[in-house]
Amino acid sequence: RGRDEKDNAYPLYLKLCPDKDGKGGFPKPEGKAAEQFEKAIGRVWTKEEFPELAEYLNDLQPAIVRFREATRKQAFWEPAGPDVISTLEIAIPAAVNGQQAVKAWNVQLWEMDSRSSKHIRAFCTSALRFASHIEQNSTTINGLIAMQSRNLAYSQLLSGLDDRIFNPNEAKALLRLFQKLDRGDYSLERCWLVEWAFCLDGIQLFWLKEARDPKLSKKAKSLLDMAGVSDSETRKTPPNLESTAEFADMHFRELVSTARLHGSSRLGVDLVRDIEDRAAQSIRKNLALRPFIAKLHRASELTLRVRAFRQGTLMVLALHVHYAKHGKWPKTLKAIDPKLGLKGLKKIIIDPYSDKPFICKLKDGQPLLYSVGVDGKDDGGVHHSKFGDGATGPADFVFWPYQKPETK
């Protein structure tokens, strides 16, 4: 109520989606273009090297323009008429097709003729605004897509600094821009509340309403098949819906309380994993819960990772602002000139994995800035692309010097 539909980005995102007949939408690369797409991620390429990819991206320009127009809108909401039976029907298409636009635009920026400060700044602005839009409905799926978009924006910024596409004199303006576009207020509590609502909604929709409305039977069967629940199981062991709802309330209440107290911290991630481990057997046995309770600890881990990536990237910019002013790098983060007027420095200096300042020291006259990563230990700046997740040895996450992603 009280909102002007002209301010809503959602209808513009829908233009990237296929119609009811599956026509239109944001086309994915095929054949050689698809192979070249994967090879071009994270490295400079030329049109002569990947001609099919260049042609594919050229054909996408109208869609990229539509995507950029959508991200310029300030507001975002998803209208739901009486024919919409589940929020997932309207939430997912805009996010998934917008994600394809971000990925394609990101690959295009690695093409040699496209690498300019103007183009990278435009991409980062749109990617961060898209992330802000789609996470407003607070579904975990949309949150994960938003995280990926943010990561691509941070990587493009760091690569631009590394390739000297941006000069140190631009660092202060870039710092302000990124702080404005991404405030870092990622709410797991809100996500878990939405997942709680989805769970109870799903139980009612597919176990109560489905029995009265034959139009829903096809959707119900499809969802149950995805969860590995067979028709014979539902006939043999129909769930007790009252106890099922009570268990769901207990499970999500514990998750929400954990998020409220610990947010996206290392302790919060460990507690979410513990809660899910304790509930796993009960969820497996309950046919009404199995399709509607997703494993959320991975989303919790990735939220912590994107927080660290954001703050580490902003600290790289802060180092460059100092260098632009004084012509030399600060020896430590505490040595960054306080007179530079960098707002929020006390918060972004903290490594979310240790709750202490990021580690920064000069090595061969250049700053080495890194997070201690998953294990919380200083491994001397040995880089691991996943913040040490799954690493068997020493693994930190290095923000600067820029660590180019592995290419296929």
Side-chain angles (χ1 to χ4, degrees):
R1 293 179 179 177
R3 295 186 293 188
D4 189 342
E5 187 65 35
K6 293 180 181 178
D7 295 330
N8 188 10
Y10 180 72
L12 294 178
Y13 285 123
L14 282 186
K15 292 183 179 180
L16 301 174
C17 303
D19 59 23
K20 293 181 179 180
D21 298 324
K23 297 180 180 179
F26 200 95
K28 295 182 180 180
E30 298 179 349
K32 288 186 177 181
E35 296 175 11
Q36 294 168 3
F37 190 99
E38 294 298 324
K39 294 178 180 178
I41 294 174
R43 76 169 182 87
V44 177
W45 57 279
T46 66
K47 295 175 182 178
E48 292 74 22
E49 182 183 9
F50 295 145
E52 289 80 9
L53 175 60
E55 182 180 357
Y56 162 74
L57 293 172
N58 184 63
D59 292 342
L60 281 185
Q61 289 316 296
I64 296 292
V65 170
R66 287 196 294 271
F67 172 76
R68 192 174 179 184
E69 288 175 355
T71 64
R72 289 194 179 108
K73 296 287 185 179
Q74 294 298 316
F76 178 87
W77 67 89
E78 297 145 332
D83 57 324
V84 175
I85 63 171
S86 171
T87 308
L88 291 176
E89 288 187 73
I90 57 174
I92 303 304
V96 170
N97 287 278
Q99 179 190 33
Q100 293 298 323
V102 172
K103 291 167 68 175
W105 193 356
N106 174 64
V107 167
Q108 184 181 47
L109 282 178
W110 286 104
E111 194 270 315
M112 183 173 289
D113 294 337
S114 299
R115 292 192 65 70
S116 70
S117 60
K118 178 182 177 181
H119 290 156
I120 294 176
R121 189 191 293 256
F123 167 78
C124 292
T125 299
S126 290
L128 293 177
R129 284 177 176 168
F130 168 68
S132 177
H133 279 162
I134 64 166
E135 70 183 3
Q136 287 185 35
N137 72 17
S138 299
T139 63
T140 301
I141 293 174
N142 280 23
L144 292 172
I145 293 173
M147 289 179 213
Q148 184 189 54
S149 296
R150 288 191 171 99
N151 285 341
L152 291 175
Y154 304 147
S155 293
Q156 280 290 353
L157 174 65
L158 293 175
S159 70
L161 287 168
D162 182 56
D163 292 337
R164 298 186 180 180
I165 295 171
F166 295 113
N167 65 63
N169 292 323
E170 296 179 86
K172 192 169 187 178
L174 288 168
L175 179 60
R176 289 173 177 169
L177 177 66
F178 271 66
Q179 286 178 307
K180 177 183 177 181
L181 294 173
D182 184 6
R183 300 183 183 279
D185 51 352
Y186 319 132
S187 175
L188 286 177
E189 179 184 352
R190 192 171 60 193
C191 283
W192 298 170
L193 284 168
V194 169
E195 291 294 332
W196 188 352
F198 275 172
C199 178
L200 296 179
D201 182 52
I203 292 170
Q204 293 180 77
L205 180 64
F206 293 104
W207 289 98
L208 296 177
K209 295 180 182 179
E210 189 271 335
R212 302 192 302 270
D213 188 351
K215 293 181 180 179
L216 300 178
S217 60
K218 186 176 181 180
K219 289 186 178 181
K221 187 177 184 305
S222 175
L223 187 62
L224 296 176
D225 285 344
M226 289 173 60
V229 178
S230 66
D231 287 339
S232 60
E233 282 184 291
T234 61
R235 288 193 294 268
K236 289 180 182 178
T237 54
N240 182 311
L241 297 185
E242 184 176 353
S243 62
T244 294
E246 289 176 356
F247 181 89
D249 285 343
M250 178 189 69
H251 178 70
F252 281 104
R253 190 174 289 113
E254 193 172 5
L255 286 170
V256 169
S257 177
T258 298
R260 186 175 297 143
L261 291 173
H262 304 288
S264 53
S265 63
R266 281 182 64 208
L267 177 58
V269 170
D270 290 341
L271 290 173
V272 169
R273 186 184 290 107
D274 179 62
I275 292 169
E276 294 192 327
D277 286 346
R278 286 188 277 110
Q281 187 173 357
S282 297
I283 293 172
R284 265 196 310 272
K285 291 181 178 179
N286 190 308
L287 302 182
L289 286 175
R290 198 188 303 172
F292 304 112
I293 295 187
K295 292 184 178 180
L296 302 176
H297 75 267
R298 186 59 178 164
S300 184
E301 290 173 346
L302 294 176
T303 302
L304 175 59
R305 189 184 299 179
V306 81
R307 274 186 62 212
F309 203 175
R310 171 188 176 268
Q311 291 173 207
T313 301
L314 296 179
M315 286 310 305
V316 170
L317 288 171
L319 290 172
H320 280 76
V321 174
H322 181 100
Y323 182 83
K325 177 70 174 180
H326 298 284
K328 60 181 180 180
W329 299 105
K331 294 181 179 179
T332 65
L333 295 181
K334 290 183 179 180
I336 293 176
D337 187 353
K339 297 180 181 179
L340 293 173
L342 304 180
K343 295 183 178 180
L345 198 61
K346 291 183 179 179
K347 290 185 178 179
I348 63 175
I349 202 173
I350 298 300
D351 181 355
Y353 283 97
S354 66
D355 290 326
K356 298 176 182 178
F358 289 109
I359 297 170
C360 183
K361 50 193 173 185
L362 292 183
K363 184 176 181 181
D364 300 326
Q366 298 290 318
L368 173 63
L369 174 68
Y370 59 94
S371 163
V372 296
V374 171
D375 62 6
K377 299 177 182 178
D378 180 1
D379 296 314
V382 178
H383 182 68
H384 187 272
S385 62
K386 298 180 179 179
F387 285 86
D389 184 19
T392 56
D396 298 323
F397 188 93
V398 178
F399 301 102
W400 198 261
Y402 173 61
Q403 306 294 306
K404 294 183 179 180
E406 297 178 0
T407 56
K408 296 184 179 180

